[in-house]
Amino acid sequence: MQVILVNADSPLVLGQMPDPTVGDNDVLIDVKAAGLNRADLMQRAGLYPPPPGASEILGLEVAGIVSAIGSAVTEWSVGDRVCALLGGGGYAELAVADAGSVFAVPGGMDFAHAACLPEAMMTVWANVFMRSALQPGETVLIHGGTSGIGVMAIQMARQAGAGTILTTAGSDEKASVCADLGADHAINYRTQDFVEVVQGAGGADVILDIVGGSYIQRNIDAANLNGRICNIAYQDSFEATVNFGPVLMKRLVLTATTLRARPNDQKRAIRDDVTSQFWEAVTSGAVRPVLDSTFPLAEAEAAHARLDTGGHIGKIVLTRD
Ligand SMILES: NC(=O)c1ccc[n+]([C@@H]2O[C@H](COP(=O)([O-])OP(=O)(O)OC[C@H]3O[C@@H](n4cnc5c(N)ncnc54)[C@H](OP(=O)(O)O)[C@@H]3O)[C@@H](O)[C@H]2O)c1
């Protein structure tokens, strides 16, 4: 099959690799679209190796048509239109997913849009809802509101009845997109102090952070009594000098998780929750994928350049005819 090959310090290029094998609990997907994630840039740079057993090929999510199923799979059939979370292997003609990481593509949604859903929705559910237990009426701060994760976090929080939604973004244009998606306060972090704005809005009960570094203290300062602060990345730094006094006095929870390394049964539980809690909203359009741009699979290098420079809003997707 055709795949995108990574060669150190060289552009991404199309090449050939053997077709993947399908395990008993797997689904083989004829890939029509593959979502990009920031993690792909890290993996390409050698900083985020695939977990044991996962494909070495880049790509954490795809949409396409089921072309084969493992002997133990009962919930999917050949010909189904699906999107799926992968441990790796999305930048290819064929990809293998555990059956429990697969979603049905809503009727009428094209594959490029469907490929935007699995990683973002499962990450938001696992961190904002499972880990941080966002409750209806509570205030949530979502950093990086126009990231692939952020656009979905805003909408899922709104759909779940969050009281006040605050987001950060790096320009007025991006902040205005966050407001359109449902944020009550969209903060341009280059011109405004998010701690002041959040405190002015009454403080945050839940904070989803992708920045780390200097944000660790600032998140603590912006959090309410019993607040939960969840990091899913530390783009600025894993290290910080922190005054833990307010953590003690405000009874805060500081936590962090990754999705990729979780066992399949945990991913299945997350998939099931996302399906039961949000798939009707996805089907109706109340929660919608935000597609920044598409690139043919062969132009993966250009797609990575767009992700790397950070001008995108929402998801970048590779497509195959
Ligand atoms: N732990 C997990 O399971 C998991 C799963 C998925 C993703 N992630 C992580 O989540 C992050 C988002 O992923 P993605 O694929 O959606 O990436 P992405 O679309 O490239 O988003 C990166 C975002 O970081 C924002 N950002 C950078 N510096 C910031 C700052 N100082 N303040 C606020 N926002 C800032 C950018 O905002 P501007 O462009 O507006 O500056 C941009 O929206 C990545 O770091 C990724 O590794 C983790």
Side-chain angles (χ1 to χ4, degrees):
M1 66 172 176
Q2 281 196 316
V3 303
I4 291 295
L5 297 173
V6 177
N7 295 307
D9 300 329
S10 302
L12 300 174
V13 287
L14 268 183
Q16 291 285 330
M17 283 182 67
D19 289 358
T21 51
V22 183
D24 291 348
N25 296 305
D26 292 338
V27 165
L28 184 67
I29 300 169
D30 177 4
V31 176
K32 301 296 182 189
L36 264 65
N37 287 278
R38 187 143 289 269
D40 303 348
L41 303 180
M42 292 161 59
Q43 181 173 333
R44 178 184 181 181
L47 301 172
Y48 193 52
S55 169
E56 295 286 326
I57 300 167
L58 295 176
L60 299 177
E61 58 189 336
V62 295
I65 299 170
V66 175
S67 60
I69 57 171
S71 58
V73 174
T74 54
E75 58 193 309
W76 305 108
S77 303
V78 170
D80 285 348
R81 298 173 80 246
V82 296
C83 55
L85 181 80
L86 311 174
Y91 293 18
E93 276 185 280
L94 295 168
V96 170
D98 181 78
S101 291
V102 176
F103 299 84
V105 175
M109 184 180 288
D110 64 30
F111 289 119
H113 284 83
C116 302
L117 299 173
E119 173 81 24
M121 293 195 76
M122 291 177 73
T123 299
V124 172
W125 177 259
N127 291 284
V128 174
F129 294 94
M130 287 176 98
R131 195 78 164 193
S132 304
L134 178 68
Q135 300 298 310
E138 285 192 324
T139 296
V140 58
L141 168 64
I142 297 160
H143 286 298
T146 59
S147 65
I149 297 291
V151 293
M152 204 46 80
I154 295 168
Q155 296 183 81
M156 289 170 70
R158 173 61 67 222
Q159 181 68 24
T164 302
I165 301 172
L166 300 107
T167 65
T168 56
S171 70
D172 290 345
E173 183 209 354
K174 288 184 173 184
S176 115
V177 171
C178 295
D180 290 345
L181 289 171
D184 301 291
H185 300 271
I187 304 158
N188 179 344
Y189 67 79
R190 296 184 200 279
T191 58
Q192 288 175 284
D193 177 356
F194 78 79
V195 179
E196 274 177 24
V197 179
V198 175
Q199 286 174 342
D205 301 304
V206 170
I207 299 177
L208 180 67
D209 186 30
I210 57 177
V211 179
S214 65
Y215 275 32
I216 295 173
Q217 184 71 60
R218 298 172 74 198
N219 288 335
I220 291 169
D221 294 342
N224 274 339
L225 201 66
N226 293 314
R228 290 85 72 198
I229 301 170
C230 187
N231 274 82
I232 57 168
Y234 294 84
Q235 293 181 79
D236 179 17
S237 176
F238 286 109
E239 297 181 4
T241 300
V242 174
N243 172 10
F244 282 96
V247 178
L248 191 70
M249 298 315 294
K250 291 199 270 187
R251 302 192 289 280
L252 302 183
V253 174
L254 273 56
T255 185
T257 83
T258 63
L259 182 61
R260 191 182 193 186
R262 288 177 188 243
N264 283 335
D265 61 337
Q266 288 187 22
K267 291 177 183 171
R268 175 181 284 275
I270 295 167
R271 188 281 309 262
D272 288 348
D273 284 350
V274 169
T275 304
S276 63
Q277 301 296 318
F278 290 100
W279 221 245
E280 200 176 307
V282 170
T283 303
S284 73
V287 171
R288 62 181 177 84
V290 177
L291 179 60
D292 173 80
S293 48
T294 62
F295 293 79
L297 180 64
E299 293 173 24
E301 181 63 33
H304 268 221
R306 176 150 182 82
L307 183 62
D308 197 22
T309 50
H312 63 289
I313 291 175
K315 298 283 295 189
I316 302 167
V317 170
L318 301 173
T319 55
R320 288 185 59 245
D321 291 332

